[in-house]
């Protein structure tokens, strides 16, 4: 465990943790709220909205109470940090810029050919070829 990481376990207030039934009820409420947020995020994946951000928000809600969610969030943060470091590598950035440029040139050539061949007509409106 890194120095800046909080210890694993429940972050419920002490008076809640001191009473078993109250703590269990607290966990059930946290689970239901987190589940509702995660489900909302999953619904947002195909629809407009910040789906992944909401899903990770639900995971953060779960992580206030459940060790498994804390471990998932730590793993996710570590992977995102590693991906960020790889993306900032000058060789990787240069490669990504080159590949993006090649892709844009290909798309521009295809669009240019289409406009040359058919004009500014939508594909579903073309009768004769």
């Amino acid at each position: 465990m890194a120095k800046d990481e909080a210890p694993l376990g429940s972050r419920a207030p002490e008076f809640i943790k001191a009473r078993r039934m109250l703590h269990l009820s607290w966990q059930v409420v946290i689970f239901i709220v987190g589940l509702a947020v995660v489900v909302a995020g999953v619904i947002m994946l195909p629809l407009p909205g910040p789906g992944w951000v909401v899903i990770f928000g639900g995971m953060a809600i779960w992580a206030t109470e459940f060790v498994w969610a804390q471990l998932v969030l730590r793993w996710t943060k570590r992977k995102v940090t590693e991906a960020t470091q790889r993306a900032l590598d000058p060789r990787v950035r240069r490669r990504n810029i080159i590949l993006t440029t090649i892709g844009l040139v290909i798309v521009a050539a295809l669009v240019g050919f289409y406009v040359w061949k058919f004009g500014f007509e939508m594909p579903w409106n073309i009768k004769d070829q």
Side-chain angles (χ1 to χ4, degrees):
M1 179 167 70
K3 292 178 184 175
D4 61 340
E5 290 180 344
L8 296 175
S10 174
R11 292 189 181 84
E14 288 303 321
F15 75 91
I16 290 178
K17 288 196 274 189
R19 293 162 184 86
R20 181 155 172 68
M21 285 307 294
L22 186 58
H23 192 226
L24 185 60
S25 300
W26 176 269
Q27 287 181 324
V28 169
V29 168
I30 293 294
F31 183 80
I32 291 171
V33 170
L35 182 64
V37 173
V38 169
V39 167
V42 169
I43 291 170
M44 285 184 208
L45 287 176
L47 300 174
W52 285 110
V53 174
V54 174
I55 290 172
F56 288 121
M59 289 296 296
I61 291 170
W62 279 338
T64 63
E65 197 57 38
F66 303 108
V67 173
W68 60 268
Q70 293 167 4
L71 294 173
V72 168
L73 279 180
R74 284 184 184 178
W75 179 84
T76 304
K77 287 178 186 176
R78 189 171 52 249
K79 292 299 178 183
V80 167
T81 302
E82 291 170 5
T84 302
Q85 293 304 318
R86 279 195 312 271
L88 294 176
D89 180 14
R91 291 177 296 158
V92 173
R93 288 187 67 187
R94 187 171 33 256
R95 182 200 66 203
N96 289 346
I97 289 171
I98 290 170
L99 289 175
T100 301
T101 304
I102 290 170
L104 288 174
V105 167
I106 291 171
V107 168
L110 291 172
V111 168
F113 175 76
Y114 179 87
V115 169
W116 171 75
K117 180 89 170 148
F118 302 107
F120 288 103
E121 194 69 36
M122 288 293 160
W124 49 85
N125 292 335
I126 297 174
K127 303 292 184 225
D128 298 328
Q129 297 177 6

